[in-house]
């Protein structure tokens, strides 16, 4: 069972995690997702979680102590934890990382907002022997916060856990199309009924019943698409 904790100042923003595939995976006890409000760890009347940056500059930085308290509250020394800090300055998430995360037992997602989390939070937990800290980004653009990024990572990772997907055959097909460096999902185009839709026919080879020919055609199509993506 994979335990997933998320810490955020907008816990409601993460409620889609209880829907669909992930909702079912939780019902089946394949994963357990818990969402925590960072502000629960503050005592002042304003429940403040941020402050001005040392050294000056625009924006606010998230204070370390609420993060420390929130993480400590959901872990113990015996727990092997992977702490994932969402930041546009992190390592770019890919299918290989999804595969790695899917095999873990306890993932904690720290969803920062503003100009990010005080750098000592990652440094402190990286120094603990039962923690592994990952700074992760989902691409070269800036989001308002880590919540959506955390959901992307959780969706990509949990569907790789045996039993989460309804049809495990689709995982097997995917795994053949991942190159060593990164995800190159060179899927061939897919068609279903009707055979003619708005004047457009399904490629004839797919109706032929010749499995050798079909496999050859699909490979050609996948390669054509890969080369096209490289040129863009
Ligand atoms: Cl993980 N966080 C934020 N705020 N922006 C991002 C991101 C993460 N990944 C890409 N852009």
């Amino acid at each position: 069972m994979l335990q997933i904790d998320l810490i955020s100042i907008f816990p409601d923003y993460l409620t889609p995690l209880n829907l669909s595939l992930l909702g079912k995976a939780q019902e089946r006890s394949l994963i357990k997702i818990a969402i925590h409000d960072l502000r629960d760890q503050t005592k002042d009347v304003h429940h403040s979680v941020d402050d001005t940056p040392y050294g000056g500059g625009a924006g606010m930085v998230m204070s370390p102590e609420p993060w420390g308290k929130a993480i400590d509250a959901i872990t113990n020394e015996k727990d092997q934890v992977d702490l994932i800090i969402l930041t546009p300055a992190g390592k770019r998430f890919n299918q290989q990382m999804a595969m790695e995360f899917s095999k873990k037992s306890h993932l904690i997602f720290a969803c920062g907002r503003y100009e990010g989390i005080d750098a000592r939070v990652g440094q402190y937990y990286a120094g603990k022997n039962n923690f592994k800290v990952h700074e992760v980004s989902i691409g070269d653009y800036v989001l308002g916060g880590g919540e959506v990024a955390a959901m992307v990572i959780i969706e990509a990772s949990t569907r790789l856990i045996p039993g989460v997907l309804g049809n495990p055959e689709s995982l097997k097909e995917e795994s053949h199309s991942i190159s060593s460096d990164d995800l190159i999902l060179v899927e061939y185009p897919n068609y279903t009924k009707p055979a003619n839709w708005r004047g457009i026919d399904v490629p004839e080879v797919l109706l032929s019943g010749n499995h050798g020919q079909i496999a050859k055609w699909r490979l050609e199509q996948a390669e054509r698409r890969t080369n096209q993506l490289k040129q863009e």
Side-chain angles (χ1 to χ4, degrees):
M1 151 101 79
L2 168 61
Q3 171 74 38
I4 299 172
D5 288 286
L6 299 103
I7 306 164
S8 164
I9 55 167
F10 294 121
D12 290 346
Y13 210 50
L14 296 162
T15 52
L17 289 169
N18 294 320
L19 301 174
S20 183
L21 209 60
L22 291 178
K24 290 209 184 73
Q26 288 186 83
E27 282 170 26
R28 290 198 225 113
S29 297
L30 295 168
I31 60 173
K32 172 131 189 49
I33 300 178
I35 300 165
H36 310 274
D37 189 341
L38 183 70
R39 290 194 202 277
D40 290 347
Q41 306 300 332
T42 57
K43 288 206 195 90
D44 62 301
V45 282
H46 296 109
H47 295 281
S48 58
V49 291
D50 61 339
D51 211 328
T52 53
Y54 276 119
M60 300 291 270
V61 176
M62 297 191 97
S63 312
E65 187 53 14
W67 286 102
K69 282 185 176 150
I71 295 164
D72 289 349
I74 53 179
T75 55
N76 62 60
E77 306 289 316
K78 287 169 273 176
D79 203 7
Q80 209 56 56
V81 181
D82 286 78
L83 174 63
I84 298 163
I85 299 175
L86 288 321
T87 162
K91 181 179 169 194
R92 172 94 65 91
F93 182 67
N94 61 24
Q95 190 71 13
Q96 218 169 304
M97 288 158 82
M99 188 62 80
E100 185 192 326
F101 292 154
S102 75
K103 294 169 184 161
K104 302 291 189 180
S105 59
H106 191 181
L107 301 176
I108 298 179
F109 290 87
C111 306
R113 290 244 148 197
Y114 314 116
E115 303 305 309
I117 303 171
D118 187 304
R120 290 169 294 183
V121 174
Q123 194 186 334
Y124 173 81
Y125 288 100
K128 293 183 72 104
N129 54 31
N130 60 324
F131 270 79
K132 198 168 165 196
V133 176
H134 314 258
E135 290 198 331
V136 182
S137 155
I138 60 163
D140 293 339
Y141 39 80
V142 180
L143 302 169
E147 285 80 4
V148 170
M151 287 194 281
V152 165
I153 293 169
I154 291 167
E155 183 163 323
S157 304
T158 54
R159 65 189 286 286
L160 300 175
I161 297 171
V164 169
L165 274 196
N167 181 6
E169 285 302 309
S170 40
L171 273 189
K172 218 189 271 177
E173 280 199 19
E174 263 174 39
S175 67
H176 293 307
S177 51
I178 296 163
S179 65
S180 55
D181 50 335
D182 208 329
L183 173 85
I184 313 278
L185 259 186
V186 283
E187 250 214 281
Y188 47 79
N190 289 296
Y191 302 87
T192 185
K193 288 177 273 297
N196 181 289
W197 180 73
R198 298 193 179 180
I200 309 169
D201 283 325
V202 169
E204 214 173 315
V205 62
L206 298 177
L207 309 176
S208 68
N210 183 332
H211 298 294
Q213 284 295 108
I214 291 169
K216 181 166 166 280
W217 180 86
R218 283 178 167 168
L219 184 61
E220 283 164 7
Q221 293 293 313
E223 283 169 351
R224 191 179 56 79
R225 282 184 160 188
T226 308
N227 289 328
Q228 212 160 3
L229 280 177
K230 275 185 195 151
Q231 275 157 27
E232 273 166 17

